[in-house]
Amino acid sequence: MKILGIGNAIVDVLCKVDDDFLVKNSLTKSTMKLIDEDEFKTLLSLINIEETVSGGSVANSIVGLSQLGNDVGFVGKVSDDKLGQKYEEGLKKEKVNYFYKKKKETIPTGSCLILITPDSERTMCTYLGTAGKINDTDIDESIVKNSEITFLEGYLWDEGEPKKAFDKAIANSNKVAMSLSDLFCVERHKVHFLELAKNKLDIIFANEQEITSLINANSFEEIVNFSKQIKKNVIITRGEKGALSILNDELIEFEAQKNLNIKDLTGAGDLFAAGYLHGIINNLSIKECLIKGTELSAKIIQKIGARI
């Protein structure tokens, strides 16, 4: 298998709201907030659902890779409930190998409210449910070893059981890629993420805001210098400024596509990672990897949801 993704198995619930809704509910635009089941139900009662889909950051990337014809798999914890069944069916429909045998859990399958404001920004309220209870026994080391790349998400990293799953996956991987996921994740786990970036990861995906926070940078030049020093493949997305890849001492940039009919920024980073990793496993040049990532990212933001 080419790539095994390990992440939070979350059913995305997409809704359109105005900016006042975020203010009234003390939500910070364009970030992710962890909520409990009661808060999830309360918010859900106030909005109209546009669409539901099997989601999660790395799962979105893995589906994108599958749609490009790659042999990929995913590990994510769900309960044997209605949402869990829907989740598994959604992945199998996309020809993704799903390596998790669900069973009835005391906690339900995780859900994420994706609140889309008129400017196309998305604000996420995530009830992790059983997804946040993944542990090392859920990781089959033989599957990890048989994958060229293991792709992890910052959203998954947490002290306790999830960290044990993370560590087991890294210990058995041939090559490790990770997305920093969200500014919230970086600020919550900065010391650990920095250690991972320096010592454990081979490929690192981040947007400019996330990596700026990770190293407390005062300038973009500091970010470039840091990326060159750690000798990893660091890929940074910069919105309208495009994206760049830093590998050893080489910096390669590619501009963003212009004049797009942007509807929803959900999944932009996930699909960018899918396109870039597609290039890596198919032996494309770094410039071609950036082009493919930009192409998929541009496609996804012109539709609602994180699936092409």
Side-chain angles (χ1 to χ4, degrees):
M1 189 165 57
K2 292 291 185 178
I3 297 182
L4 175 69
I6 303 176
N8 284 325
I10 301 287
V11 176
D12 288 340
V13 180
L14 284 77
C15 319
K16 288 182 179 178
V17 300
D18 55 27
D19 289 302
D20 286 345
F21 182 88
L22 302 184
V23 175
K24 287 175 185 174
N25 290 282
S26 303
L27 300 171
T28 304
K29 184 186 282 191
S30 305
T31 63
M32 189 276 284
K33 178 186 178 184
L34 289 175
I35 59 177
D36 60 26
E37 190 173 6
D38 289 340
E39 191 174 356
F40 178 83
K41 287 177 178 176
T42 299
L43 287 170
L44 195 59
S45 70
L46 301 173
I47 48 190
N48 294 317
I49 297 172
E50 294 277 327
E51 185 183 356
T52 60
V53 65
S54 304
S57 179
V58 161
N60 291 336
S61 301
I62 292 297
V63 167
L65 280 155
S66 179
Q67 291 173 338
L68 291 172
N70 299 293
D71 181 18
V72 292
F74 180 73
V75 178
K77 192 163 192 164
V78 298
S79 181
D80 189 5
D81 53 20
K82 190 173 180 180
L83 283 180
Q85 290 163 10
K86 181 180 176 65
Y87 193 89
E88 184 173 8
E89 287 165 7
L91 286 188
K92 288 183 175 178
K93 183 181 174 184
E94 296 289 358
K95 298 183 174 59
V96 172
N97 297 298
Y98 186 44
F99 296 108
Y100 182 75
K101 291 180 180 178
K102 63 185 184 302
K103 52 188 176 294
K104 208 72 180 174
E105 305 283 352
T106 54
I107 303 172
T109 296
S111 307
C112 177
L113 288 181
I114 299 179
L115 308 174
I116 306 164
T117 38
D119 57 3
S120 302
E121 288 290 342
R122 82 281 186 275
T123 303
M124 295 180 289
C125 298
T126 303
Y127 167 56
L128 284 175
T130 197
K133 302 299 180 183
I134 193 168
N135 59 59
D136 55 331
T137 63
D138 297 318
I139 307 299
D140 185 333
E141 60 186 57
S142 65
I143 294 170
V144 177
K145 288 176 179 177
N146 286 327
S147 305
E148 289 182 21
I149 298 174
T150 304
F151 186 32
L152 304 165
E153 62 184 66
Y155 287 131
L156 185 72
W157 203 101
D158 220 336
E159 287 289 0
E161 297 302 304
K163 183 179 181 297
K164 291 178 184 176
F166 219 90
D167 289 343
K168 183 177 179 180
I170 288 176
N172 290 283
S173 294
N174 294 301
K175 187 177 283 189
V176 185
M178 176 177 156
S179 164
L180 297 189
S181 294
D182 190 275
L183 183 61
F184 164 83
C185 293
V186 174
E187 293 184 345
R188 188 178 178 193
H189 303 303
K190 189 175 293 189
V191 173
H192 301 287
F193 279 15
L194 197 55
E195 193 272 332
L196 284 169
K198 288 178 177 178
N199 302 312
K200 301 286 181 69
L201 307 176
D202 301 290
I203 302 169
I204 302 159
F205 291 97
N207 65 29
E208 188 171 353
Q209 190 183 32
E210 291 157 2
I211 197 161
T212 297
S213 172
L214 181 70
I215 65 169
N216 299 314
N218 294 310
S219 68
F220 197 69
E221 185 181 1
E222 282 185 42
I223 293 170
V224 172
N225 289 337
F226 166 80
S227 302
K228 287 181 177 179
Q229 287 167 7
I230 62 173
K231 305 294 183 187
K232 307 296 176 67
N233 188 1
V234 181
I235 303 101
I236 304 167
T237 53
R238 307 183 73 193
E240 293 179 352
K241 296 177 184 176
L244 58 94
S245 174
I246 301 165
L247 180 58
N248 297 322
D249 288 325
E250 188 174 20
L251 187 157
I252 298 173
E253 295 184 78
F254 189 71
E255 63 184 17
Q257 291 188 15
K258 304 288 193 293
N259 304 315
L260 301 176
N261 180 24
I262 300 174
K263 293 183 178 178
D264 172 21
L265 294 172
T266 306
D270 303 336
L271 272 293
F272 180 90
Y276 193 95
L277 289 171
H278 169 80
I280 292 288
I281 58 179
N282 288 285
N283 301 312
L284 302 185
S285 68
I286 294 296
K287 184 68 171 284
E288 288 170 322
C289 291
L290 288 170
I291 291 170
K292 195 65 181 176
T294 301
E295 176 191 317
L296 290 198
S297 183
K299 272 186 182 179
I300 202 63
I301 62 177
Q302 295 184 85
K303 67 182 293 293
I304 299 292
R307 297 286 164 86
I308 291 173

